[in-house]
Amino acid sequence: MHPAPSVIVFTTLSGLGFGLLIWLGAGQPAVTGWTALAFFVIAYLLAAGGLVASTFHLGRPERAPLAFTQWRTSWLSREAWASVAALVVMCLYGAGLVFFGERYAWLGWAGTALSLATVLCTAMIYAQLRTVPRWHSALTPALFLVISLAGGGLLAGQLQAALLLLPLAAALQVAWWWRGDRALARSGTDMGTATGLGARGKVRAFEPPHTGTNYLLREFVHEVGRRHARRLRALTLGLGYLAPALLILLPFAHVWAVVAVALHLTGVAAGRWLFFAEAEHVVGLYYGKR
Amino acid sequence: MTDLPTTTDRKLGLVIDLDTCVGCHACVVSCKGWNTENYGAPLSDQDPYGADPTGTFLNRVHSYEIQPETGPAQLVHFPKSCLHCEDAPCVTVCPTGASYKRVEDGIVLVNESDCIGCGLCAWACPYGAREMDAAEGVMKKCTLCVDRIYNENLPQEDRVPACVRTCPAGARHFGDLGDPDSDVSRLVAERGGMDLMPEQGTKPVNQYLPPRPRDALEPAGDVDVLAPYLEPVASEARGFIGWLDRALDRLPGGRDGEGP
């Protein structure tokens, strides 16, 4: 799949932003006044900034409000609802903390649940696609949720929790890669089933439909980004999960927290690049490519 | 709503004969022609006369080589367009309701004025049937020439999809695959029509007829049905030729094929 910058930025930033909102809604940390304002501004910049970035890959962004209409079948539509509901509810909850010094716990928990739902919907947009075997797994939403919780915990200063969640995210990431590397072969879809001619012999793409490239090849066949997959995987594990966990263990952990968050964000972004670049869409089989 | 209809009154679709297709791409050209001039946004090209031309197509013809365990390889031309699936994954993922499957005939369409161009439907389609138009920013797909098949301004013989009408080999057939007595359904039953990627669970309406077995190039028995009638009338030569034949036999080396 084509690793579009807008989608990588969106899933990385909004994942972290909603992760922070999950913790803030739960009252961890229990902040009020200016401190609360600072936390909420960071969370909203990340979450809403990511959502705005996601509209850059639309062909007709001016029609984006129509995306709220099909929540019954479409995870993308559900994500639109969940994200807006989470941002509205957390805005009310945040106003209580910042301006009135009051914590409306029920509102906070509702915001936490909606933020979790948003991350789940984002992940399900990818996990639902049978056409991309690497994504089509329950491990995908699990990975997105744990990364969001770990990053959010790091930002919220919940270092004990982050110390548990970061290794868990790393383990899930490795499991996701391990499964993903075998997913296309296990899906049963190959050039034989794509053409229906597999029983007759070995099928080889002899001539493509056109001499030039096309939308399908640009969007779904991206072999260049996979060249450095190993190094990027190492960076994802090292920067995204290992380094932040080690920094937490150092004395004056809170000073290092900023560095830890920056490293974590870089690592997760590298992982998200691979999430798209390594994903094989079955339509590539018609072109004899992966 | 992008809920799929539980049943459709008819299942209009194509039957594509991989045995007959000669790979001339006439269907590709006529599809592009009709659909760029008629319903919906035109199918744009980018850099059409330049070094790196690309464009939107609703129908593309691939060619595959099939190498069996033994025997010569076979070349199969393979036209591919929207299969108007019964369980169309492209429809249910659409966040705006622009994509829908018609209850009356099962055609999968895009309402271009509602499409936000998010591309998720193209991600959900295993067949590469949907292409985002780079100029218009909306998703384009085969409409089964919905503006031809019901068009009373056209003569009856033209009320079929442009690709079917133009195919010079007769490799494309159009009809109701939900009616077991229709010509297309009988053709599918007779020739063993198949689904593409059945494991994807899309239940495609369009069917592909597999290539018929080829004549073997190195037959085990007679080369030709006429062979028995073409046997030499005189197996032993007489006269001068006969003398020459016997004389040459006596020379060292013997007859061709009998030597050392």
Side-chain angles (χ1 to χ4, degrees), chain A residues 86-215:
Chain A
L87 291 176
V88 168
V89 168
M90 288 304 283
C91 185
L92 296 174
Y93 170 73
L97 290 174
V98 173
F99 301 113
F100 308 110
E102 274 300 322
R103 177 168 184 263
Y104 303 107
W106 56 274
L107 209 53
W109 285 112
T112 293
L114 286 166
S115 301
L116 277 168
T118 305
V119 179
L120 178 72
C121 288
T122 305
M124 283 308 294
I125 291 172
Y126 306 109
Q128 69 176 332
L129 296 173
R130 200 186 278 265
T131 49
V132 186
R134 190 180 281 272
W135 294 348
H136 190 57
S137 157
L139 280 176
T140 301
L143 179 64
F144 272 57
L145 281 169
V146 172
I147 289 177
S148 191
L149 280 170
L154 206 58
L155 257 183
Q158 303 304 302
L159 301 185
Q160 293 292 327
L163 210 48
L164 285 175
L165 287 164
L166 285 168
L168 179 61
L172 260 175
Q173 179 74 78
V174 171
W176 191 85
W177 281 330
W178 189 86
R179 182 204 160 272
D181 290 343
R182 289 151 187 79
L184 181 62
R186 281 190 190 169
S187 73
T189 300
D190 54 27
M191 283 184 78
T193 67
T195 58
L197 301 169
R200 293 157 180 272
K202 194 170 162 24
V203 182
R204 185 171 77 90
F206 184 78
E207 197 174 35
H210 292 79
T211 51
T213 185
N214 62 32
Y215 167 76

Side-chain angles (χ1 to χ4, degrees), chain A residues 63 72-74 131 189 281 286, chain B residues 2-3 64 93 115 123 199:
Chain A
R63 297 176 185 159
R72 271 167 52 186
T73 64
S74 171
T131 49
T189 300
H281 193 290
Y286 284 108
Chain B
T2 43
D3 289 329
Y64 297 104
V93 299
C115 176
W123 290 20
E199 71 284 356

Side-chain angles (χ1 to χ4, degrees), chain A residues 188-203 285-286, chain B residues 18 64 66 76 78 80 83 127 191-199 207-211:
Chain A
T189 300
D190 54 27
M191 283 184 78
T193 67
T195 58
L197 301 169
R200 293 157 180 272
K202 194 170 162 24
V203 182
L285 295 169
Y286 284 108
Chain B
L18 297 179
Y64 297 104
I66 305 150
V76 174
F78 195 96
K80 185 162 59 62
L83 288 86
Y127 308 109
R191 294 277 306 282
M194 58 190 183
D195 290 351
L196 302 186
M197 292 188 187
E199 71 284 356
Q207 296 287 303
Y208 282 75
L209 306 180

Side-chain angles (χ1 to χ4, degrees), chain A residues 1 57-60 63-64 66-74 76-77 125-126 128-131 135 187-189 191 193-197 200-210 212-216 218-220 276 281-283 286-287, chain B residues 1-3 18 25 28 53-54 57 60-68 75-76 78 80 92-97 112-120 122-128 130-132 136-139 194 196-200 210-211:
Chain A
M1 301 291 290
H57 86 284
L58 298 181
R60 291 286 189 151
R63 297 176 185 159
L66 284 168
F68 287 92
T69 59
Q70 305 301 315
W71 48 270
R72 271 167 52 186
T73 64
S74 171
L76 185 49
S77 192
I125 291 172
Y126 306 109
Q128 69 176 332
L129 296 173
R130 200 186 278 265
T131 49
W135 294 348
S187 73
T189 300
M191 283 184 78
T193 67
T195 58
L197 301 169
R200 293 157 180 272
K202 194 170 162 24
V203 182
R204 185 171 77 90
F206 184 78
E207 197 174 35
H210 292 79
T213 185
N214 62 32
Y215 167 76
L216 300 171
R218 285 193 298 269
E219 187 77 0
F220 300 119
F276 290 99
H281 193 290
V282 294
V283 80
Y286 284 108
Y287 292 84
Chain B
M1 274 290 172
T2 43
D3 289 329
L18 297 179
H25 292 242
V28 177
T54 65
F57 284 80
R60 294 182 186 264
V61 179
H62 298 251
S63 298
Y64 297 104
E65 180 199 72
I66 305 150
Q67 178 64 60
L75 191 62
V76 174
F78 195 96
K80 185 162 59 62
T92 50
V93 299
C94 175
T96 68
E112 289 175 9
S113 60
D114 281 358
C115 176
I116 58 173
C118 69
L120 191 54
W123 290 20
C125 172
Y127 308 109
R130 288 169 169 250
E131 298 192 14
M132 180 100 75
E136 203 68 23
V138 296
M139 198 53 75
M194 58 190 183
L196 302 186
M197 292 188 187
E199 71 284 356
Q200 286 274 335

